[in-house]
């Protein structure tokens, strides 16, 4: 299945993306890093938008951006607001938490998607799904105990809450992606939401600058900042392309994308010398096992 291989490649790049974020945020405030990375991502998609509009790219080109209606632009703009909200929360969490704590929380997105379907749409869960949820929650409890040894209380730490909220918003965005891609086309969604992220983040940057100027300085430039936007754009391109292929399952694609946690986890262990790696890795394996059981039950 080509779409599943694309999802795995996207997951690998997302893991690199998390490592680049962690590195870029060391000694830097969140909003300047976010804004520059968004500008970099948008610049990658401006040429395809212009060349497609001019007729240089044909409709069968991999980079062709189809025209969309004003209603379509509003739908994509709403996605950019969802993504911006999720990113802001996630960036603050990643800045203040080890990736070996933050990334496994991010990997729980399928759990929140399933719970949302139960609460909002009245879906009923089968035995496998219940087993997956209980397995995941058990290992998250063990995870919280491991975090306490490092002085991180899962119930009181606001950065943990930020990452949980970012994950829930990310799950909503993933469900929304399938809706948008089917109606507007994958390149239209990715290109325009990347562009719309720039004014959204610019507004947030200005508001934050006015209220917390001292927090922006000293600012440390590093080439990992623009690489954040480039890496994420390529990862999302593979992700949207996989969703557009016949037979692609959003639940499976989203779960495979969560495999990025393995890359970021190992990156944290290698580059940032995190503590209790063996214990956390065993707990992470349990969390991922629970997620896989949920996916098996959902199919």
């Amino acid at each position: 299945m080509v779409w599943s291989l694309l999802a795995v490649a996207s997951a690998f790049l997302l893991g690199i993306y998390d490592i680049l974020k962690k590195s870029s945020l060391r000694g830097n405030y969140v909003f300047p890093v976010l804004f520059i990375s968004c500008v970099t991502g948008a610049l990658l998609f401006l040429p395809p938008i212009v060349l497609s509009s001019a007729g240089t790219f044909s409709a069968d080109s991999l980079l062709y951006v189809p025209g969309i209606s004003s209603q379509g632009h509003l739908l994509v703009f709403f996605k950019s607001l969802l993504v911006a909200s999720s990113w802001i929360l996630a960036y603050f969490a990643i800045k203040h938490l080890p990736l070996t704590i933050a990334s496994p929380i991010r990997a729980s997105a399928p759990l929140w998607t399933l719970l949302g379907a139960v609460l909002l749409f009245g879906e009923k869960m089968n035995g496998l799904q219940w087993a997956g949820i209980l397995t995941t929650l058990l290992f998250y409890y063990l995870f919280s105990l491991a975090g306490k040894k490092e002085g991180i209380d899962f119930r009181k730490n606001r950065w943990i809450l930020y990452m949980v909220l970012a994950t829930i918003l990310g799950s909503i965005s993933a469900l929304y992606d399938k809706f948008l891609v089917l109606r507007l086309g994958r390149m239209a969604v990715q290109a325009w939401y990347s562009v719309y992220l720039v004014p959204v983040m610019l507004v947030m940057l200005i508001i934050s600058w006015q209220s917390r100027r001292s927090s922006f300085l000293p600012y440390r430039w590093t080439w990992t900042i623009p690489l954040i936007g480039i890496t994420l754009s390529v990862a999302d391109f593979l992700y949207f392309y996989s969703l557009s292929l016949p037979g692609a399952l959003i639940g499976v694609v989203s779960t495979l994308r969560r495999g990025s946690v393995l890359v970021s986890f190992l990156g944290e262990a290698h580059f940032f010398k995190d503590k209790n790696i063996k214990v956390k890795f065993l707990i992470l394996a349990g969390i991922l096992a629970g997620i896989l059981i949920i996916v098996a039950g959902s199919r």
Side-chain angles (χ1 to χ4, degrees):
M1 295 181 289
V2 176
W3 56 267
S4 60
L5 294 177
L6 291 172
V8 170
S10 176
F12 176 78
L13 289 173
L14 277 181
I16 301 299
Y17 160 73
D18 278 339
I19 295 170
L20 292 172
K21 281 192 297 185
K22 183 68 175 179
S23 176
S24 300
L25 288 168
R26 298 175 80 182
N28 278 328
Y29 193 55
V30 166
F31 284 107
V33 174
L34 252 175
F35 178 70
I36 294 172
S37 62
C38 286
V39 169
T40 306
L43 289 174
L44 291 177
F45 289 100
L46 283 178
I49 290 174
V50 173
L51 293 174
S52 299
S53 179
T56 305
F57 283 168
S58 61
D60 58 350
S61 171
L62 202 61
L63 296 176
Y64 176 73
V65 179
I68 56 177
S69 65
S70 56
Q71 183 185 25
H73 280 285
L74 284 174
L75 292 173
V76 175
F77 182 74
F78 178 70
K79 173 180 169 57
S80 72
L81 294 177
L82 269 178
V83 171
S85 301
S86 178
W87 283 4
I88 289 169
L89 293 167
Y91 270 62
F92 273 106
I94 287 173
K95 178 177 174 65
H96 294 92
L97 294 172
L99 279 177
T100 50
I101 294 289
S103 295
I105 296 175
R106 193 71 161 170
S108 67
L111 169 64
W112 300 108
T113 302
L114 177 59
L115 292 178
V118 171
L119 294 174
L120 296 177
F121 305 114
E123 293 187 9
K124 294 183 178 179
M125 293 186 292
N126 57 39
L128 267 181
Q129 290 172 324
W130 274 114
I133 287 178
L134 293 175
T135 300
T136 303
L137 293 178
L138 169 63
F139 279 95
Y140 268 117
Y141 173 71
L142 297 175
F143 199 42
S144 69
L145 296 180
K148 277 188 176 181
K149 293 182 178 180
E150 299 180 25
I152 300 173
D153 189 332
F154 274 43
R155 293 175 298 176
K156 298 179 181 179
N157 189 293
R158 65 169 171 165
W159 310 121
I160 295 291
L161 175 61
Y162 277 26
M163 184 53 76
V164 170
L165 292 175
T167 302
I168 294 172
L169 288 172
S171 298
I172 296 171
S173 179
L175 292 172
Y176 192 45
D177 286 342
K178 187 69 175 180
F179 169 82
L180 290 178
V181 168
L182 290 174
R183 284 157 180 77
L184 306 177
R186 59 178 180 82
M187 279 300 293
V189 175
Q190 187 179 6
W192 283 111
Y193 107 78
S194 297
V195 170
Y196 287 141
L197 272 173
V198 175
V200 171
M201 288 300 181
L202 178 60
V203 171
M204 297 303 301
L205 179 70
I206 293 171
I207 293 173
S208 184
W209 169 257
Q210 292 297 325
S211 61
R212 303 186 62 174
R213 295 183 183 184
S214 61
S215 299
F216 280 74
L217 300 172
Y219 176 72
R220 181 179 64 89
W221 166 260
T222 169
W223 282 104
T224 58
I225 296 176
L227 284 176
I228 293 173
I230 294 171
T231 307
L232 179 64
S233 295
V234 178
D236 277 353
F237 177 84
L238 297 175
Y239 165 64
F240 282 113
Y241 187 32
S242 69
L243 285 182
S244 70
L245 295 177
L249 301 172
I250 180 64
V252 177
V253 171
S254 297
T255 302
L256 289 175
R257 286 248 295 179
R258 297 280 71 82
S260 62
V261 66
L262 295 173
V263 179
S264 56
F265 188 99
L266 294 174
E268 171 84 9
H270 179 73
F271 294 110
F272 305 112
K273 310 301 180 185
D274 197 14
K275 298 178 290 184
N276 301 322
I277 292 299
K278 291 182 179 179
V279 173
K280 289 179 182 176
F281 187 80
L282 290 174
I283 296 173
L284 171 62
I287 292 172
L288 292 177
I291 297 301
L292 289 175
I293 294 171
I294 290 174
V295 174
S298 300
R299 295 185 66 183

